[in-house]
Amino acid sequence: MQSGGEPRVTVVLAVYNRARELPLAIASVFAQTTPAWELLVVDDGSTDDSLAIARRYLWDARVRVLALGNNVGLGNALQAALPHVHTPYFVTLDSDDWLAPTALADLMAAMDEGPEDAVLASANAQHWREDRGRLVRDHVLRGRPFSDKFDVFRYGPYLVPRFYRTEAVLRVGGFERDPHGQGRFYEDKLILLKLAAIGRFLHVDRVLYHVRLHAANLTRPEERARLNAIKKAMYERIMREWGDPYEIVWGMHPEGWLDVADLVPRTSAGAQDRRTH
């Protein structure tokens, strides 16, 4: 094990049948400019060599592997990982993505130097597409800071990386198996909404995460319709939990994804007019 003091962040890497991509994700953790990390690989019932590949890194005491046996879905796998996170922070890393070398150091500094009620930090993400066996640079997704929980509620794109304050995630109950997504869909959106209700989100305006675009993404129209229904039910549930101060106006992204187009105050005299637009 490399020296560098007590680990302060755990990289939680849930994997399901990503034997080809997993080595790059793990290598990006070992390439971090700070050695003060732990890596927890959660194998979500893989039927390929993902578990065997993860175990090859157990020579380093900072690496642990949790084998779930059965495939339970990403949100449930992350929830299973929580009792094994003993650091003040943790960050999730998708098994087909990778971290920039300064990601952990930069995000940890943002949280350390930020306000006490900061519960999460994110940054910008470089996207890569696969072209004849090579990774080709695509667009950059830029995140942003948020003014309040309703600003988070309106935000359509995903946030990466998601660098969490561990105590805050535990305080909101973690990655729950909600009745809509069943811990398999929109687990990232749900935990963000729950956290937005209790604290502040920070943004580091640097590319600290790399996303692999590939054909395995869910793009079929029937999948979009099903996921849109799950998102709608989940968001309506959160708004009710927040006291139902707004009516949600839904819009459709050009690619067919459901987004929050507007939030109309229920006491607004102009609510009816705005609902028609």
Side-chain angles (χ1 to χ4, degrees), residues 58-80:
L58 290 174
W59 58 266
D60 191 310
R62 295 173 297 178
V63 179
R64 289 172 292 150
V65 175
L66 176 63
L68 299 183
N70 298 315
N71 177 253
V72 298
L74 181 54
N76 298 311
L78 295 176
Q79 183 68 6

Side-chain angles (χ1 to χ4, degrees), residues 16-168:
Y16 176 66
N17 289 352
R18 292 288 187 197
R20 183 173 70 93
E21 296 87 357
L22 184 58
L24 177 57
I26 294 178
S28 76
V29 180
F30 277 84
Q32 290 301 298
T33 57
T34 174
W37 51 260
E38 291 186 344
L39 171 61
L40 176 59
V41 180
V42 184
D43 184 75
D44 188 16
S46 294
T47 57
D48 66 0
D49 292 331
S50 294
L51 179 58
I53 289 171
R55 285 175 170 161
R56 292 175 191 167
Y57 297 86
L58 290 174
W59 58 266
D60 191 310
R62 295 173 297 178
V63 179
R64 289 172 292 150
V65 175
L66 176 63
L68 299 183
N70 298 315
N71 177 253
V72 298
L74 181 54
N76 298 311
L78 295 176
Q79 183 68 6
L82 276 182
H84 303 275
V85 175
H86 308 300
T87 51
Y89 305 120
F90 74 95
V91 60
T92 54
L93 173 60
D94 285 355
S95 55
D96 51 349
D97 298 338
W98 64 98
L99 298 170
T102 65
L104 298 185
D106 289 349
L107 292 162
M108 200 178 324
M111 292 291 281
D112 285 347
E113 298 163 10
E116 290 185 359
D117 67 342
V119 294
L120 177 138
S122 63
N124 304 330
Q126 174 68 59
H127 287 68
W128 300 79
R129 55 185 170 83
E130 295 182 332
D131 182 11
R132 289 171 289 186
R134 297 185 306 116
L135 287 170
V136 179
R137 193 181 298 269
D138 203 277
H139 68 286
V140 172
L141 174 65
R142 300 193 177 278
R144 64 172 177 82
F146 299 92
S147 57
D148 59 18
K149 64 184 182 183
F150 297 106
D151 194 15
V152 176
F153 195 97
R154 292 183 180 95
Y155 186 71
Y158 55 86
L159 285 180
V160 285
R162 294 182 291 280
F163 190 96
Y164 300 98
R165 189 182 300 278
T166 306
E167 176 276 328

